[in-house]
Amino acid sequence: MTRISAFADLLSHLLKWLLIAAVVAVLAGTASAGFLFALVWATGTRMAHPWLIWLLPLAGLAVGWLYLRYGSDVEGGANLLIDEIHDPKKIIPLRMAPLVLGATVVSHLFGASVGREGTAVQMGGALADQLTRLFRLDTEDRRIVLMAGISAGFASVFGTPLAGAIFGLEVLAIGRLRYEAMLPCLAAAVIADQVGLLWGVQHTHYAIPLIPAISAWTLAAMVIAGLLFGVTGKVFATATHGLSHAMKRWIRYAPLRPLLGGVIIACAVWLLGTDQYIGLGIPTIVDALKEPLPAWDFLGKMAFTIVSLGTGFKGGEVTPLFFIGATLGNALGPVLHQPATLLAAIGFVAVFAGAANTPIASTLMAMELFGAEIGVYAAIACVVAYLFSGHAGIYRAQRSGHAKRQEGKSD
């Protein structure tokens, strides 16, 4: 009888979380699909009308005012979701989803250099948290449903269900995974990805022409590149947070911060004579995986993204980090005597691994995007990048579960 009872409890647990995860996935996957379609429109419109960049300051002012007037309690974004998982207090307001959706589309329409994962994660988490009352979830179950929402949002916006599932577990605390949430996060990520595909979402196809056989030097090159990718991720996170803090100290009225940022970005685009470093930058990422690019491209994207995010534009950091990593890896290829396209693929995920402190999710993403053969190289570079990026990442609410390395013992 005891065994039967235990089996029944497990079956009940399985069915409960499959049902909840499916609901979360449908909500998050549908929201991500609509968001991705809106981004395609915004990007196409901006490229067809380059003069829209001069309206970026006004767009920034409008976004800042909307958040000041209606979004003060959701301003924390993804960090608010992480805080609520660690210390549950109150249900995330539903308006987080439409606010971040609209603000991100506006940012892309007028030329800010921001990403998309932050928006998808926030929409997934906010929509998932509305189920807390519907299903009468207790505090622990609410934590899990928020994690499932994060996983569903990440997976559906990038088309990487395994990476999305682990990201929701790994991003909360450095060095610690919440295994009790593995089933809901995996189910939500897989189903949300399929929901997006059913809506007609078409993810960018990334491919590299050659993955060389393992040798002593290729492994050593991954260690060296991983170190540089980790330091780059640390510099990005530190500079973005530093600029954000400085802007809050210098400019008290929040809407003026993105207005100033918009002026800086618009003038920089005009002075450089290129819009390569604004928006998502996916065409440049694809090029980095195929052919040599100028060695300074990663610096350009880093500067534009730091100014965009640091002054208050909405979107996310991850796709810009893909750009930074891919172009930096492309530049490192000749230096380390490795195929530039291989190091571009490794940099694509490793800078993100360092900046977000998520080496496992990043390794899985590499395998989902570029094939299982890249797994060993990606794992080495992502782990080394994770070690050398420090404990402060792009998510300020992320906690330290365990130290990244064991400190030496003094005599």
Side-chain angles (χ1 to χ4, degrees):
M1 183 62 70
T2 302
R3 291 181 179 178
I4 295 175
S5 177
F7 179 81
D9 286 342
L10 284 174
L11 183 60
S12 175
H13 174 82
L14 174 66
L15 294 176
K16 167 189 170 180
W17 282 111
L18 286 179
L19 171 62
I20 294 175
V23 176
V24 170
V26 170
L27 294 172
T30 299
S32 289
F35 171 52
L36 290 174
F37 293 141
L39 281 187
V40 170
W41 169 81
T43 301
T45 302
R46 190 196 73 242
M47 293 179 68
H49 305 285
W51 54 267
L52 286 173
I53 188 69
W54 293 110
L55 298 180
L56 184 60
L58 295 179
L61 180 68
V63 167
W65 183 84
L66 280 174
Y67 266 83
L68 180 64
R69 181 69 176 82
Y70 300 106
S72 58
D73 53 351
V74 296
E75 178 71 28
N79 289 293
L80 175 60
L81 298 178
I82 296 173
D83 279 333
E84 281 296 323
I85 293 170
H86 288 307
D87 298 308
K89 294 176 182 177
K90 63 179 182 178
I91 293 176
I92 304 292
L94 182 59
R95 63 178 170 276
M96 170 184 271
L99 271 174
V100 73
L101 170 63
T104 304
V105 172
V106 167
S107 296
H108 280 281
L109 176 62
F110 294 100
S113 177
V114 293
R116 51 187 172 170
E117 115 290 339
T119 303
V121 163
Q122 290 176 56
M123 290 193 301
L127 292 169
D129 206 16
Q130 308 311 306
L131 302 180
T132 298
R133 291 196 185 97
L134 179 63
F135 290 107
R136 299 179 180 178
L137 302 178
D138 59 24
T139 298
E140 196 56 39
D141 284 351
R142 180 176 174 241
R143 288 191 174 102
I144 294 175
V145 84
L146 279 169
M147 295 165 70
I150 291 173
S151 292
F154 190 97
S156 56
V157 83
F158 292 123
T160 54
L162 294 181
I166 299 303
F167 179 80
L169 301 169
E170 193 176 22
V171 74
L172 305 177
I174 298 172
R176 185 177 66 199
L177 295 179
R178 297 284 297 269
Y179 286 98
E180 72 275 16
M182 186 169 290
L183 171 64
C185 287
L186 178 61
V190 172
I191 298 172
D193 177 49
Q194 292 300 308
V195 168
L197 296 176
L198 288 173
W199 279 112
V201 168
Q202 296 183 347
H203 297 290
T204 303
H205 176 68
Y206 298 106
I208 54 175
L210 174 67
I211 299 178
I214 292 177
S215 68
W217 175 243
T218 56
L219 297 179
M222 294 306 120
V223 173
I224 297 169
L227 186 158
L228 296 173
F229 292 144
V231 172
T232 301
K234 180 177 182 178
V235 169
F236 176 87
T238 302
T240 302
H241 294 324
L243 179 58
S244 178
H245 291 318
M247 292 298 291
K248 291 175 181 177
R249 187 171 64 251
W250 296 338
I251 302 176
R252 297 294 183 181
Y253 187 58
L256 293 180
R257 299 167 197 154
L259 184 148
L260 176 59
V263 170
I264 295 172
I265 293 167
C267 290
V269 169
W270 176 67
L271 288 171
L272 293 175
T274 179
D275 62 357
Q276 181 180 2
Y277 305 123
I278 61 176
L280 291 173
I282 289 177
T284 301
I285 297 174
V286 173
D287 288 343
L289 299 170
K290 297 190 299 185
E291 60 193 35
L293 295 180
W296 56 82
D297 275 348
F298 80 97
L299 291 173
K301 187 62 172 179
M302 183 180 290
F304 273 78
T305 306
I306 289 170
V307 172
S308 296
L309 295 174
T311 57
F313 284 98
K314 305 299 178 182
E317 302 91 345
V318 175
T319 304
L321 287 170
F322 293 163
F323 183 119
I324 294 166
T327 50
L328 174 58
N330 185 282
L332 289 175
V335 177
L336 296 177
H337 303 289
Q338 295 296 310
T341 54
L342 171 66
L343 282 181
I346 298 299
F348 183 110
V349 294
V351 172
F352 167 53
N357 293 306
T358 54
I360 302 175
S362 301
T363 301
L364 288 173
M365 173 172 271
M367 296 171 71
E368 288 182 292
L369 294 178
F370 303 110
E373 297 83 1
I374 206 170
V376 171
Y377 295 140
I380 292 171
C382 287
V383 169
V384 173
Y386 165 78
L387 288 173
F388 277 87
S389 64
H391 282 80
I394 55 178
Y395 303 110
R396 293 187 300 273
Q398 191 177 56
R399 298 188 179 182
S400 180
H402 295 284
K404 289 190 175 184
R405 65 183 180 89
Q406 185 176 359
E407 300 292 340
K409 295 180 180 179
S410 58
D411 294 333

